Amino acid sequence: MFPYLHRTLSCGFIRVSLLTLFGLFSVSSPIPAAMITGTVDLGPEPRMPRLHGRYAQHAGGEPGPRPPRVAVVYLEGVFSPHPVAPAGDGPILEQEGLQFRPALLPIMVGTTVSFPNLDETYHNVFSYSKAKAFDLGRYLDEEKIPRVTFEEPGVVSVFCEIHNHMRATILVLDSPHFVTTDTSGSFRLEGLPAGEFTLVGWVNERRVFRRRVSLEVEDELEVDLNPKSDEG
Amino acid sequence: MSESDPGGIRVRFSFPFKLTLTMLLVAGLCGVGTLLVIQRQIEDTYRGFLESQVTDQVDFFFEKQAVRLASVRDTLVGATLNVRLIAALRSDSSRFYTDLGFELEDILQRLARENAWVDSSLEERQRDRERAPAAAAEGAEIAGKAKDPAEGAAGGEPRADEDEELDGGMMPEPHPVASRFVRPFFRFVRADGTMLRPDDASAGYVPGVDEELLEERLARLVSDWEEAQEEPLGYLVLESYGKQLLYEVVTAPVIDFSYGEWLGEVVFGNPVNRIEAVTGRGNSRLLSGLIVDGRIYSARIPRAARGPIGEIYRKMEVMEGRPAELIIAGMPHLISFDSLTDAKRFPPAYLISLYSLAEMVALVEIVRQSAIGLGLLSLCAALILGALFSRGLTRQLSDLAAAMGEVRKGRFDVRVPVRSRDEVGQATAAFGEMVSELALKERMRGVLDKVADAEVAQELLAGNMELGGEERDVAVLFCDIRGFTPLTEGMPPRQIIAMVNEHMTTLTRVIYQHGGVVDKFVGDEVMVLFGAPRSRGNDTLNSIRCALEMMAERERLNRETGRVVEIGIGLAVGEAIAGLMGSQDRLSYTVVGERVNLASRLCGAAGPGEVIIDAHTREQVGVHLQVEPRDPIRLKGFSEPVEICRVIAVGG
């Protein structure tokens, strides 16, 4: 029976079905989970310095609207079972209107991200980050959508070589519990296990807030992440 | 006054002396004036010419620099705008120089090619020079020790007999850098002043300068955010193995536009291996160099010049565009400074253009000598000619003066020969004519005196008398010879004249002694006036005394000559009309009136040796007279008989 089972499980279709069942099963019979809500202080908008000469020409030239500033809130700690990234198509970091969307993408370690080009013009997506350095070269939308799998946790800064202003950050996290705040900084983190963890609010590389939290089952905490409450 | 000083003037400054002095002055002023004007003109023209050359040279320098560096700057700016650099800085700085080097590759290759070209062309010229050592570059002499602050060793062409040290770009052995040239470098200096250290040599390096030292030097440049955006250009000196390496430096900022963050600056340094590649060759007159941070870098400016140049530079008399004057090895030079960088971050750097005025000085000297030579020559000629002419003139004038002295003494027979046909000759001729006229007039005067009474003549000459007369109180005396006709019967005319002249001469003498004026001689009769034209005082008394004396003299003469001549005198005083009578051209001074007639009649009535006067006359005398009364007589022309008497003596 086992050999057959193995073969059956290898089949993709079976795999998906099983996952769906599992997911349904999860939804239909919820495990008691904690929840944290709160707000992250996003900080002031960056001020542009006075530019003149040829530098001034670049400053204002941003075609699409800038993506809104948000933060990522995640739970840091030791989780059991060890978190595994979902297989298959992962999140997408698309290029549209000469901007990356979303500008801040939290993913779990092992996730594969797709980078579709929805613009009429070439983009050249790359990153020099130590966590994952990649260079997708120039491509247009009708070509095969490039994918990158991120196996190391860390901050990955994504640039477009052709368009100076396009920026995105991929937060590769060791934790499955993460959420992106809204533009005002409010978040709602659900399905959290009980235990001792650190709640991290990540705005940018220089603006990270940490708070230790102790979660009980069915806890509903409200935690604000800002410079004052930051525990470093 | 002496014979030797005609006119009483002693010659102190002779005419030739004055003439010589004048000519000297004129020639001197002319010569000096002309010389100064020409000299000034030459200097101005030459300077203007040199300055325009300098301007050309400077323009050429900046053109070359622009050509050399424009693309560097543009490329640098483009490079710094590349987002890969920002990505590298944000994520993995080890990639920074790789990516930047990639961007700058074209530039680096081009600069390497240029350096190679410059080197080979300079080498060629060096070879040419070695073939013709006489035409060696100027400034090869090393005059003693150069003063320290102005001393700069760098870039120079290799010269055959020159110290290795001056050899441009070449390092003395041993040196870790195998290549002939020092290569460009580029570094990234962060906004906080720290420098990103490259992992390999792809970003270039400065031989002998480690990264720490480089960081220290470059961090000072990166400061002004405003200035950074202009991609400032300047010069930097880095000391390498004891030598000064000169770099042309351009900086460009790296800006992250997304966050509006100034991350730092890229500093690009291009070495100036050969100064002449930067400044241009110049020419034999014009030597170029650079002053960076107080040190001189030049291939051609001699060491002897560096001290004076340093002095001027230190005094901060660096006025852009206006050349300053300085003396190098005794020869005047001009030097002008042109600023090479206006960015505050770089040390002050100037392009110096030094040019010698030796040619101009030599030219001026030639002109001066020519002018002086010609001036002296013409002066000599002028002096000689002047002397010749003035000598003749002086002699002539001296002769004239001497002759005038003679004329003054009354010798009218002097003559001065006319020796030249000019104004002096004219004067001499005129003088001769004048002397003749004077002589004539003198003779006429003499004649006049003889013909008319001296006193009358004097009055006439003085122009005091006019036609017409005046009423005067006069005494009139007539004297004639009794029995003249029978006396002179049978006498030859010459004898008669002689006798009369002798008689008249004697009587005239007496008349003059008594202040009388001979009016006229009529044959044997003489008419005498007293009180006209001028009164002497006591005219009446004088006349009577004169009459008596005349008698006495006549008697003496009678005794002496043995010939007896008897005279009779009639005398009357009173009012008469005296004056010049006659026509305008021919007149004589005389008196008319009743008293005159009376005197004449009385003379006729007088016997031999008798002086007859009338009663009125006797009353007028005013002194006592010894008289012999006579009967009144009838006289022609007088209605009543006239009382008369004979005068015997005065007083008594």
Side-chain angles (χ1 to χ4, degrees):
Chain A
M1 185 153 171
F2 275 97
Y4 295 107
L5 196 63
H6 186 254
R7 267 210 312 277
T8 316
L9 283 171
S10 309
C11 171
F13 172 70
I14 304 286
R15 204 184 278 162
V16 170
S17 320
L18 276 174
L19 268 173
T20 314
L21 276 171
F22 181 72
L24 283 169
F25 188 64
S26 304
V27 169
S28 53
S29 48
I31 296 167
M35 182 177 73
I36 303 178
T37 56
T39 321
V40 178
D41 185 354
L42 296 173
E45 286 272 358
R47 268 193 343 269
M48 285 294 276
R50 276 191 330 281
L51 300 173
H52 60 80
R54 36 182 148 198
Y55 300 96
Q57 293 163 19
H58 291 274
E62 283 177 11
R66 265 187 98 125
R69 273 192 324 140
V70 293
V72 161
V73 179
Y74 65 94
L75 206 61
E76 195 180 60
V78 179
F79 304 98
S80 57
H82 194 75
V84 173
D89 282 339
I92 53 175
L93 189 64
E94 59 192 15
Q95 303 109 58
E96 190 181 19
L98 303 185
Q99 296 286 2
F100 283 117
R101 202 161 30 247
L104 183 56
L105 179 67
I107 59 168
M108 237 186 70
V109 167
T111 312
T112 303
V113 179
S114 318
F115 295 86
N117 180 351
L118 303 180
D119 277 332
E120 302 272 313
T121 178
Y122 278 107
H123 287 291
N124 184 346
V125 182
F126 75 97
S127 170
Y128 282 159
S129 300
K130 297 243 174 50
K132 181 72 180 182
F134 61 91
D135 191 333
L136 302 180
R138 295 188 183 191
Y139 59 97
L140 282 175
D141 49 2
E142 61 262 14
E143 296 163 23
K144 183 163 165 295
I145 297 174
R147 288 183 164 76
V148 180
T149 308
F150 295 86
E151 290 107 0
E152 296 280 332
V155 178
V156 177
S157 300
V158 182
F159 300 85
C160 168
E161 190 191 38
I162 300 166
H163 302 98
N164 197 319
H165 60 273
M166 285 173 67
R167 302 288 158 85
T169 311
I170 299 177
L171 268 184
V172 185
L173 299 168
D174 236 338
S175 156
H177 304 290
F178 49 82
V179 73
T180 308
T181 69
D182 64 9
T183 54
S184 62
S186 345
F187 65 91
R188 187 192 189 80
L189 204 53
E190 290 176 319
L192 303 177
E196 303 278 330
F197 304 102
T198 307
L199 189 68
V200 183
W202 198 99
V203 184
N204 57 46
E205 272 170 305
R206 274 179 249 121
R207 199 178 178 86
V208 181
F209 306 120
R210 298 187 129 81
R211 292 281 299 268
R212 275 190 294 279
V213 291
S214 187
L215 287 174
E216 306 288 329
V217 176
E218 304 277 1
D219 245 345
E220 282 187 17
L221 294 179
E222 189 166 330
V223 182
D224 279 333
L225 296 162
N226 49 43
K228 278 209 225 56
S229 64
D230 183 28
E231 286 162 14
Chain B
M1 282 190 242
S2 58
E3 287 256 0
S4 59
D5 291 340
I9 295 176
R10 215 153 50 110
V11 173
R12 196 150 109 188
F13 293 115
S14 73
F15 180 74
F17 173 77
K18 285 196 269 204
L19 186 64
T20 309
L21 197 64
T22 308
M23 285 201 290
L24 276 170
L25 272 171
V26 167
L29 282 172
C30 252
V32 169
T34 310
L35 191 60
L36 285 174
V37 166
I38 291 180
Q39 187 169 325
R40 184 59 182 271
Q41 204 57 35
I42 289 177
E43 284 182 3
D44 285 350
T45 307
Y46 203 82
R47 265 172 220 252
F49 166 65
L50 279 179
E51 276 177 46
S52 76
Q53 273 209 323
V54 167
T55 308
D56 287 346
Q57 197 78 2
V58 167
D59 289 345
F60 174 70
F61 168 86
F62 283 112
E63 272 175 37
K64 273 191 79 170
Q65 186 189 66
V67 163
R68 190 172 54 250
L69 293 176
S71 53
V72 170
R73 276 163 123 174
D74 288 341
T75 307
L76 203 62
V77 166
T80 51
L81 289 173
N82 189 340
V83 75
R84 283 193 186 270
L85 298 184
I86 295 172
L89 288 174
R90 295 255 186 246
S91 313
D92 181 2
S93 53
S94 67
R95 291 179 187 259
F96 182 87
Y97 284 115
T98 314
D99 282 343
L100 184 56
F102 178 74
E103 294 286 319
L104 298 177
E105 200 173 303
D106 284 345
I107 292 292
L108 292 171
Q109 279 184 6
R110 186 165 67 78
L111 289 174
R113 276 200 302 275
E114 271 182 17
N115 272 340
W117 177 84
V118 164
D119 179 58
S120 72
S121 76
L122 284 173
E123 263 192 355
E124 245 181 72
R125 276 205 292 279
Q126 169 64 11
R127 277 198 293 275
D128 288 345
R129 247 189 288 273
E130 276 165 2
R131 276 186 227 122
E138 280 185 1
E141 77 273 3
I142 307 174
K145 285 171 93 142
K147 298 196 181 62
D148 191 61
E151 167 73 272
E157 299 177 85
R159 298 186 197 101
D161 47 343
E162 201 63 317
D163 204 13
E164 269 281 320
E165 200 185 281
L166 283 179
D167 199 350
M170 262 184 157
M171 301 294 161
E173 295 294 326
H175 194 276
V177 176
S179 59
R180 284 193 65 160
F181 300 104
V182 180
R183 296 199 182 282
F185 71 89
F186 50 93
R187 295 284 186 279
F188 178 70
V189 181
R190 300 190 195 87
D192 62 5
T194 57
M195 191 176 82
L196 181 62
R197 310 267 175 114
D199 294 328
D200 55 20
S202 62
Y205 64 96
V206 180
V209 177
D210 65 10
E211 292 298 307
E212 219 174 283
L213 188 58
L214 196 57
E215 180 174 33
E216 195 190 333
R217 292 303 303 276
L218 297 183
R220 281 187 241 147
L221 297 180
V222 172
S223 51
D224 189 345
W225 169 244
E226 287 286 326
E227 197 175 68
Q229 292 172 69
E230 283 155 23
E231 301 106 44
L233 160 75
Y235 288 83
L236 210 55
V237 176
L238 297 166
E239 188 163 316
S240 154
Y241 297 112
K243 294 187 59 175
Q244 314 294 322
L245 283 181
L246 184 63
Y247 283 86
E248 262 178 335
V249 177
V250 187
T251 65
V254 176
I255 304 173
D256 186 350
F257 292 97
S258 278
Y259 295 104
E261 207 179 324
W262 175 43
L263 297 174
E265 293 194 38
V266 173
V267 180
F268 184 94
N270 184 31
V272 182
N273 282 324
R274 308 278 182 178
I275 286 282
E276 288 192 349
V278 165
T279 63
R281 274 197 69 214
N283 54 40
S284 58
R285 287 192 210 102
L286 185 52
L287 309 179
S288 301
L290 302 179
I291 287 188
V292 178
D293 212 6
R295 286 169 168 264
I296 298 177
Y297 301 90
S298 170
R300 311 188 80 217
I301 292 181
R303 281 181 192 251
R306 299 187 184 206
I309 294 176
E311 252 184 64
I312 289 192
Y313 177 73
R314 253 170 298 157
K315 275 193 267 180
M316 285 320 288
E317 282 167 22
V318 177
M319 290 191 288
E320 290 252 8
R322 288 228 343 243
E325 196 159 315
L326 73 165
I327 311 281
I328 299 171
M331 186 62 71
H333 288 69
L334 285 180
I335 186 163
S336 72
F337 297 84
D338 287 277
S339 176
L340 292 174
T341 178
D342 43 10
K344 291 193 279 294
R345 56 180 56 189
F346 290 108
Y350 294 89
L351 173 68
I352 45 180
S353 308
L354 177 71
Y355 41 111
S356 159
L357 296 175
E359 272 189 26
M360 182 188 83
V361 166
L363 186 60
V364 164
E365 194 55 36
I366 290 175
V367 166
R368 185 181 299 167
Q369 284 174 2
S370 306
I372 289 176
L374 281 172
L376 284 175
L377 207 67
S378 52
L379 187 67
C380 283
L383 284 174
I384 290 171
L385 281 173
L388 278 171
F389 285 128
S390 68
R391 190 197 305 268
L393 179 78
T394 312
R395 193 150 55 102
Q396 186 88 336
L397 290 177
S398 295
D399 289 350
L400 259 182
M404 287 180 196
E406 292 291 298
V407 167
R408 190 204 141 266
K409 289 193 201 109
R411 299 198 206 114
F412 294 107
D413 52 355
V414 301
R415 284 293 175 273
V416 179
V418 175
R419 292 198 196 91
S420 57
R421 300 171 70 89
D422 58 8
E423 287 85 347
V424 173
Q426 279 182 343
T428 310
F431 170 75
E433 283 170 21
M434 180 193 75
V435 168
S436 305
E437 282 297 315
L438 275 179
L440 184 63
K441 282 186 175 35
E442 193 70 13
R443 283 201 301 275
M444 282 172 66
R445 178 70 196 269
V447 165
L448 179 65
D449 275 351
K450 290 199 179 83
V451 165
D453 188 271
E455 204 173 304
V456 175
Q458 196 167 334
E459 293 290 305
L460 271 174
L461 283 172
N464 287 346
M465 305 220 282
E466 294 169 359
L467 212 56
E470 52 178 341
E471 275 187 14
R472 293 190 76 90
D473 269 323
V474 298
V476 187
L477 186 156
F478 281 88
C479 168
D480 68 357
I481 298 174
R482 291 276 89 92
F484 182 67
T485 310
L487 182 66
T488 58
E489 207 174 316
M491 276 173 94
R494 209 167 291 142
Q495 201 179 343
I496 299 174
I497 299 287
M499 186 193 77
V500 169
N501 285 349
E502 185 191 54
H503 169 77
M504 292 305 179
T505 304
T506 308
L507 291 188
T508 304
R509 189 163 32 83
V510 174
I511 292 166
Y512 280 141
Q513 276 171 6
H514 289 81
V517 170
V518 174
D519 189 314
K520 57 169 85 64
F521 297 105
V522 184
D524 59 316
E525 188 183 63
V526 58
M527 176 179 167
V528 186
L529 302 175
F530 293 84
R534 285 200 312 276
S535 168
R536 297 283 170 92
N538 298 322
D539 293 322
T540 311
L541 184 59
N542 289 342
S543 65
I544 293 188
R545 281 213 171 101
C546 179
L548 291 171
E549 182 75 19
M550 282 162 78
M551 283 298 182
E553 277 295 300
R554 185 65 249 177
E555 269 184 44
R556 181 190 62 78
L557 203 60
N558 286 346
R559 282 195 303 278
E560 281 175 10
T561 60
R563 189 178 20 254
V564 176
V565 175
E566 303 277 15
I567 57 171
I569 297 179
L571 204 157
V573 308
E575 264 188 21
I577 308 293
L580 285 169
M581 292 172 213
S583 72
Q584 287 271 26
D585 300 317
R586 179 84 180 79
L587 38 72
S588 63
Y589 188 81
T590 188
V591 294
V592 294
E594 193 205 9
R595 307 302 299 172
V596 179
N597 295 344
L598 179 60
S600 177
R601 298 283 176 252
L602 288 177
C603 174
E610 287 186 349
V611 177
I612 305 294
I613 63 173
D614 76 327
H616 176 73
T617 304
R618 186 175 156 201
E619 281 161 28
Q620 293 298 320
V621 164
V623 303
H624 181 68
L625 288 175
Q626 202 178 352
V627 299
E628 183 196 317
R630 289 281 168 89
D631 298 328
I633 57 170
R634 279 198 180 274
L635 294 170
K636 181 173 165 204
F638 291 84
S639 49
E640 295 292 326
V642 180
E643 250 186 67
I644 59 173
C645 59
R646 177 178 160 240
V647 180
I648 299 172
V650 175

